[in-house]
């Protein structure tokens, strides 16, 4: 009898986590790697948050807490949703887990029966389809290519819905494309969904503050209050507060679902780490004024990436509206051969070529459902960005 369960064959290791780890391992071994694979802020966690965590530990935040979040954190989250997203929610609507990733995992595990369909617009963050599959569900991909500015249309949504559809996943700003849905587009989706009362909406707003050029973030439940009771609004402290290692994500949603997620969590992690929850309280109740500087730095980096890559050596790098990723088409590189005689068959080959021959770590478009492309994270210093982009252009020019 094999040791491992069959359902594990349905998924692959997270490609973004793998790429990040590969880059870190090579750098630790002394290689001169430009790491453009890491999907995490390079800024240090603000000192007032780190200090709050240290203080909390000294004050005894070293024990189990309430299963799906302390009262202090749920209150801070309810206030955040009200203040930043204009959502009127009570603490009974709130769940806290060890990262937004675990929130997504909990929500799908609590709701998906074998064969249930989940609509996932592509390009998508790598973990949605695999968590769906692990739970016996079927991801239904809707392709939103660069020509559509990486956005699903209302008609595409209407065409993808079936009686088996359980969830629609929306992620705006999007990882990996940076695409942002406007209020009007979110209204359009709601118009379609009103005829399909069995469908719930999972909206992943984790990049909400990473938004450029005066654009604004809108969240589905605010724009469509009549559908709030079938919307799970997901967020976390990882990206806004540079707290990826604290592992705190949260959501607001219908009480029935929130309670189910609590039950599941009571049989898995028991609760998110006490000290991390205390740090998240300090983050959410504290100032966000520091973020203007970060946003500005990200914007300058974005502009530099686009200036260095777009239209150069056959690359197509549309300007992302949000998040800290650029999704670059490498269509013109496919079918070419490296100096060493290796054929570049697809974007996975191209990404491995960039890493092996030019020491630039990126992630292949195949992982995000739109190929041939690669994802660059610009959550890194301008020096690394300059060096990486020059290496990428050099790599493209070296192909025959
Ligand atoms: N959603 C998206 C779109 C992401 O890019 C990430 C980054 N890992 C997450 C969710 C999960 O974030 P975390 O688990 O660190 O809260
Ligand atoms: N979300 C980040 C990324 O896409 C971190 C890694 C992960 O959790 O996938 O790179």
């Amino acid at each position: 009898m094999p040791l491992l369960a069959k359902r594990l064959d349905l998924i692959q290791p997270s490609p973004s986590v793998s790429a990040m780890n590969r880059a870190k391992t090579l750098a630790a071994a002394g290689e001169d790697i430009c790491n453009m694979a890491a999907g995490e802020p390079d800024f240090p966690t603000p000192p007032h948050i780190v200090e709050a965590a240290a203080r909390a530990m000294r004050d005894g935040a070293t024990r189990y807490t309430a299963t799906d979040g302390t009262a202090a954190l749920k209150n801070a989250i309810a206030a955040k949703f009200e203040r930043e997203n204009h959502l009127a929610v009570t603490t009974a609507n709130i769940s806290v887990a060890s990262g937004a990733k675990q929130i997504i995992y909990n929500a799908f595990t609590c709701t998906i029966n074998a064969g249930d369909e989940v609509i996932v617009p592509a390009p998508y963050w790598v973990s949605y389809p695999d968590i769906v599959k692990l739970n016996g569900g079927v991801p239904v991909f809707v392709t939103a290519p660069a020509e559509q500015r990486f956005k699903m249309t209302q008609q595409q949504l209407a065409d993808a819905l079936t009686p088996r559809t359980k969830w629609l996943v929306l992620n705006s700003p999007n990882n990996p494309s940076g695409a942002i849905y406007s209020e009007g587009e979110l209204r359009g989706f709601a118009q379609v969904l009103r005829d399909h009362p069995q469908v719930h909406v999972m909206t992943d707003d984790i990049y909400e503050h990473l938004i450029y050029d005066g654009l604004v973030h809108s969240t589905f439940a605010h724009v469509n209050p009549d559908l709030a009771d079938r919307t799970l609004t997901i967020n976390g402290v990882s990206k806004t507060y540079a707290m990826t290692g604290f592992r705190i994500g949260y959501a607001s949603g219908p009480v029935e679902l929130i309670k189910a997620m609590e039950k599941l969590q009571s049989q898995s992690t028991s609760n998110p780490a006490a000290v991390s929850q205390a740090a998240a309280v300090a983050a959410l109740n504290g100032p966000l004024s520091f973020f203007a500087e970060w946003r500005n730095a990200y914007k300058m980096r974005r502009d530099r990436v686009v200036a260095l890559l777009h239209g150069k050596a056959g690359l197509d790098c549309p300007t992302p509206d949000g998040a800290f990723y650029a999704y670059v088409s490498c269509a013109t590189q496919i079918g070419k051969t490296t100096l060493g005689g290796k054929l570049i068959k697809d974007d996975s080959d191209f990404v491995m070529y960039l890493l092996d021959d030019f020491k630039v770590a990126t992630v292949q478009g195949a992982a995000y459902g739109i190929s041939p492309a690669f994802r660059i994270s610009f959550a890194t210093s301008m020096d690394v960005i300059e060096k990486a982009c020059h290496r990428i252009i050099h790599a493209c020019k070296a192909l025959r």
Side-chain angles (χ1 to χ4, degrees), residues 11 42 47 53 101 149 164 178 193 197 206 211 214 246 250 262-263 269 281 290 299 308 316 325 332 368-369 391 396:
I11 64 167
D42 59 321
K101 197 182 263 183
R149 305 202 64 214
R164 293 306 303 264
L193 293 173
I206 201 154
I211 187 159
F246 284 86
Y250 56 85
E262 179 186 11
K263 177 161 102 176
T269 59
V281 171
F290 69 89
K299 185 200 173 308
L308 288 170
D316 185 3
Y325 309 104
T332 53
Y368 305 96
R391 286 183 186 182
C396 293

Side-chain angles (χ1 to χ4, degrees), residues 59-84:
D59 291 349
T62 56
R63 301 187 179 276
Y64 294 132
T65 71
T67 303
D68 63 351
T70 61
L73 181 50
K74 286 190 177 184
N75 282 323
I77 291 166
K80 177 263 183 263
F81 275 131
E82 165 108 58
R83 186 175 67 241
E84 296 181 2

Side-chain angles (χ1 to χ4, degrees), residues 47-67:
H48 70 277
I49 298 173
V50 175
E51 191 42 50
R55 202 178 328 116
M57 269 194 288
R58 284 193 296 268
D59 291 349
T62 56
R63 301 187 179 276
Y64 294 132
T65 71
T67 303

Side-chain angles (χ1 to χ4, degrees), residues 99-101 104 125 128 171 175 204 206-207 238-239 247 325:
K101 197 182 263 183
I104 295 163
W125 178 47
Y128 305 126
N171 168 218
N175 175 2
D204 180 345
I206 201 154
Y207 296 101
S238 284
K239 316 289 172 175
R247 310 303 308 124
Y325 309 104

Side-chain angles (χ1 to χ4, degrees), residues 1 3 6 19-20 53 72 75 116 136 153 193-194 202 213-214 237 240 248 253 279 283 285 312 336 342 368 397:
M1 191 194 289
L3 171 62
K6 282 205 190 79
M20 217 153 61
N75 282 323
D116 285 351
T153 63
L193 293 173
R194 285 193 186 97
M202 174 183 284
D213 308 324
V237 294
T240 303
I248 294 291
N285 287 345
K312 306 284 163 60
K336 292 185 174 171
K342 197 167 170 285
Y368 305 96
K397 287 186 173 160

Side-chain angles (χ1 to χ4, degrees), residues 121-124 142-148 150-151 176-177 327-330 347 363-375:
Y124 47 76
V142 173
T143 304
E147 302 79 69
Q148 290 176 210
F150 300 113
K151 295 203 267 188
S177 72
Y327 202 59
V328 191
S329 166
C330 57
D347 54 25
V363 189
Q364 67 280 11
Y368 305 96
I370 295 223
S371 284
F374 59 105
R375 188 192 78 169

